């Protein structure tokens, strides 16, 4: 299988519990943020996004919180399921006038049965 | 189905060889990107293209080359000048600066 994420921080959560994954972003000018999910050996998948004029956004079982004061982003997953096991990473658009994003290194989520 | 495809899924290269990774999208996105992913690191940008017939170097462009002759296609060539090419390569596309959609990736191994 794919060895991506071999040395990443790991969050282990019991099935059915809620998960919280954190991300510190780097640029105070960033105006758009995305959470991606990446399963082993696959490409990242979009989960949820949020713009800088919002503090919170909810999707299906997922919520993203944005704290611009401390440049912090979090992803909350409700009722974590085995299929949620993956690497999660955040991306920020630094509003630099180009389409370039800055990507976090990611957190591995392990769901315990 | 609209999407972004990469081929091959696995690629093996002998030292000194150039290899080309394919990336195609039918999402009508104007921008395309190539990233390299290594264990324990975030995605690193190799090259990106915001419009056909134009592309810019990313953070780790040395030893790589690209072309953007068609909107749908953005192939990446890993040249023999790339000293440590073994990695997982991801292609992505976007409409402007909106979210990037990723392909399934190509795992390149140097023998």
């Amino acid at each position: 299988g794919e060895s991506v994420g071999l040395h990443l921080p790991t969050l282990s959560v019991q099935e059915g519990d809620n998960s919280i994954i954190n991300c510190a972003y780097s640029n105070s000018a960033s105006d758009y943020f995305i959470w991606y999910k990446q399963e082993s050996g696959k490409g990242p998948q979009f989960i949820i996004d949020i713009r800088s004029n919002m503090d919170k956004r909810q999707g299906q079982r997922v919520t993203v919180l944005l704290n611009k004061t401390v440049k912090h982003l979090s992803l909350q997953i409700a009722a974590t399921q085995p299929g949620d096991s993956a690497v999660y990473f955040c991306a920020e658009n630094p509003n630099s006038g180009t389409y370039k994003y800055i990507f976090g290194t990611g957190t591995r989520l392990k769901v315990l049965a | 189905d609209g999407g972004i495809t990469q081929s091959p899924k696995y690629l093996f290269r002998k030292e000194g060889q150039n290899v080309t990774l394919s990336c195609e999208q039918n999402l009508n996105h104007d921008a395309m990107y190539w990233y390299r992913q290594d264990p324990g690191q975030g995605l690193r940008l190799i090259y990106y293209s915001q419009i056909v017939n134009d592309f810019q170097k990313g953070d780790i462009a040395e030893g790589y080359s690209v072309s953007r002759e068609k909107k749908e296609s953005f192939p990446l060539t890993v040249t023999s000048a790339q000293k440590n090419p073994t990695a997982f390569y991801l292609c992505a596309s976007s409409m402007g600066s909106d979210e990037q959609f990723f392909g399934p990736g190509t795992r390149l191994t140097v023998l």
Side-chain angles (χ1 to χ4, degrees):
Chain A
E2 180 55 54
S3 60
V4 167
L6 193 61
H7 305 293
L8 294 177
T10 298
L11 173 67
S12 296
V13 176
Q14 207 68 34
E15 182 179 355
D17 287 351
N18 297 335
S19 303
I20 299 176
I21 299 171
N22 298 303
C23 175
Y25 65 92
S26 58
N27 192 323
S28 58
S30 294
D31 61 354
Y32 179 53
F33 304 87
I34 303 171
W35 277 103
Y36 286 96
K37 172 187 180 182
Q38 187 175 21
E39 297 177 60
S40 183
K42 297 184 179 179
Q45 295 174 284
F46 171 92
I47 301 174
I48 192 168
D49 59 358
I50 189 168
R51 297 203 178 271
S52 59
N53 61 352
M54 303 173 69
D55 297 324
K56 179 180 180 178
R57 188 154 190 242
Q58 288 184 290
Q60 190 173 20
R61 274 201 315 119
V62 294
T63 300
V64 55
L65 298 177
L66 175 61
N67 185 331
K68 294 182 286 293
T69 303
V70 295
K71 293 191 287 185
H72 184 267
L73 198 65
S74 69
L75 175 70
Q76 300 178 1
I77 303 174
T80 311
Q81 302 169 0
D84 295 328
S85 293
V87 173
Y88 292 81
F89 59 88
C90 62
E92 60 178 292
N93 184 331
N95 194 22
S96 62
T98 72
Y99 301 163
K100 295 169 68 173
Y101 277 72
I102 301 171
F103 292 89
T105 54
T107 296
R108 177 177 296 282
L109 177 65
K110 286 188 175 180
V111 181
L112 308 173
Chain B
D1 282 337
I4 180 165
T5 58
Q6 292 183 241
S7 63
K9 185 172 174 65
Y10 298 97
L11 186 58
F12 298 90
R13 191 194 92 170
K14 294 181 181 179
E15 288 194 20
Q17 277 185 336
N18 293 353
V19 290
T20 298
L21 283 59
S22 170
C23 178
E24 304 277 333
Q25 55 97 1
N26 61 2
L27 300 166
N28 200 32
H29 286 168
D30 50 357
M32 297 186 74
Y33 314 78
W34 274 106
Y35 294 94
R36 172 180 171 137
Q37 191 173 40
D38 294 283
Q41 298 191 36
L43 298 180
R44 292 188 290 167
L45 183 63
I46 303 172
Y47 269 98
Y48 67 106
S49 168
Q50 296 184 181
I51 195 169
V52 176
N53 291 321
D54 189 43
F55 50 83
Q56 284 78 39
K57 292 182 179 180
D59 302 317
I60 55 165
E62 186 176 350
Y64 300 97
S65 65
V66 294
S67 63
R68 187 87 188 278
E69 297 176 1
K70 297 188 300 181
K71 187 175 186 178
E72 304 79 19
S73 179
F74 191 41
L76 172 75
T77 296
V78 184
T79 75
S80 57
Q82 171 48 238
K83 297 307 177 188
N84 185 24
T86 294
F88 191 52
Y89 290 87
L90 287 162
C91 180
S93 69
S94 70
M95 184 62 75
S97 59
D98 290 346
E99 75 264 23
Q100 296 183 13
F101 291 81
F102 286 86
T106 293
R107 176 73 182 169
L108 173 63
T109 303
V110 173
L111 301 175

